[in-house]
């Protein structure tokens, strides 16, 4: 019963995940642009779920924004594959898996323009100021109204996925620790 077109946000309900900015963006689109885009959030409560629910109610989006909780992999895959975009407006990063999962599953990414996200995603996302709902809304409209841009993000996502195909986070951490050990032996104490 997923309504289309929709944006998707797979993130636990922590405050820094910034779900409320997406809610405000969808309300802004409805109220100022007369465009209805649905929103689906998945993830477990980490202390901010009630606040998110209150924001949905505040903006009268109960029939437009849905909280699905924890979903199994087939449902998660469906959401990625059918979303207009995965909107990732976390205020912290980098090295978040959902943007890479989205790219791997041919889902365009709208992502906050913080340094870690810029480094992780390169030219593969539409970068937004996560504190400005209108910026998020404009990015959503850019994909909604421009199929060529939508397809370009999907194509560039597949290039990014190939880059990370042989990347091992564990091996990279071992390299960083080894480098640190070399430097640490020069310190007193």
């Amino acid at each position: 019963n997923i309504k289309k077109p929709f944006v998707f946000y797979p993130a636990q309900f922590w405050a820094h995940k910034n779900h409320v900015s997406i809610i405000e963006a969808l309300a802004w689109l409805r109220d100022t642009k007369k465009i209805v885009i649905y929103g689906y959030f998945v993830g477990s409560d980490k202390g901010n779920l009630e606040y998110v629910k209150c924001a949905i109610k505040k903006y009268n989006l109960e029939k437009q924004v849905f909280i699905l909780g924890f979903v199994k992999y087939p449902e998660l895959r469906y959401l990625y594959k059918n979303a207009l975009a995965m909107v990732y407006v976390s205020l912290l990063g980098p090295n978040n898996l959902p943007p890479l999962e989205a790219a791997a599953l041919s889902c365009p990414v709208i992502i906050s323009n913080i340094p870690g996200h810029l480094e992780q995603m390169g030219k593969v996302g539409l970068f937004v100021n996560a504190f400005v709902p209108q910026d998020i809304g404009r990015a959503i409209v850019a994909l909604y109204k421009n199929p060529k841009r939508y397809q370009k993000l999907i194509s560039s996502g597949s290039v990014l996925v190939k880059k990370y195909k042989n990347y091992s986070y564990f091996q990279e951490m071992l390299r960083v620790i080894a480098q640190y050990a070399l430097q640490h032996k020069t310190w007193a104490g």
Side-chain angles (χ1 to χ4, degrees), residues 137-178:
R138 282 188 286 274
I140 293 168
V141 168
L143 293 176
Y144 180 66
K145 290 191 172 185
N146 190 337
K148 286 183 181 179
R149 192 162 194 190
Y150 178 88
Q151 287 301 322
K152 184 178 180 187
L153 279 180
I154 289 173
S155 296
S156 59
S158 66
V159 171
L160 179 72
V161 169
K162 288 176 187 170
K163 172 186 166 188
Y164 281 109
K165 183 177 181 185
N166 294 318
Y167 176 79
S168 168
Y169 185 78
F170 178 73
Q171 290 299 321
E172 182 65 14
M173 289 307 299
L174 287 177
R175 187 194 66 73
V176 169
I177 291 167

Side-chain angles (χ1 to χ4, degrees), residues 56-134:
I56 291 169
K57 190 171 188 161
K58 173 183 175 183
Y59 290 100
N60 297 316
L61 290 171
E62 297 94 339
K63 294 181 181 178
Q64 192 175 332
V65 176
F66 305 96
I67 297 170
L68 303 179
F70 181 81
V71 297
K72 293 181 181 178
Y73 182 72
E75 290 87 11
L76 184 65
R77 184 178 174 84
Y78 175 88
L79 291 165
Y80 276 122
K81 298 288 275 176
N82 290 279
L84 175 64
M86 192 276 295
V87 181
Y88 201 83
V89 290
S90 177
L91 304 175
L92 298 174
N95 294 330
N96 293 293
L97 288 178
L100 296 176
E101 290 173 341
L105 293 169
S106 301
C107 180
V109 176
I110 296 171
I111 189 166
S112 48
N113 63 357
I114 61 176
H117 290 164
L118 292 165
E119 180 181 347
Q120 179 184 21
M121 297 304 289
K123 297 178 181 179
V124 177
L126 290 182
F127 293 95
V128 297
N129 182 333
F131 292 107
V132 180
Q134 295 84 354

Side-chain angles (χ1 to χ4, degrees), residues 1-7 37-40 62-64 66 78 82:
N1 295 327
I2 301 294
K3 299 177 181 179
K4 295 180 181 180
F6 70 92
V7 293
I37 304 288
Y38 296 94
Y40 290 91
E62 297 94 339
K63 294 181 181 178
Q64 192 175 332
F66 305 96
Y78 175 88
N82 290 279

Side-chain angles (χ1 to χ4, degrees), residues 24-43:
E24 291 173 341
L26 295 176
W28 179 77
L29 286 172
R30 178 197 62 202
D31 297 343
T32 63
K33 303 291 184 186
K34 307 301 182 219
I35 298 172
V36 174
I37 304 288
Y38 296 94
Y40 290 91
F41 298 152
V42 301

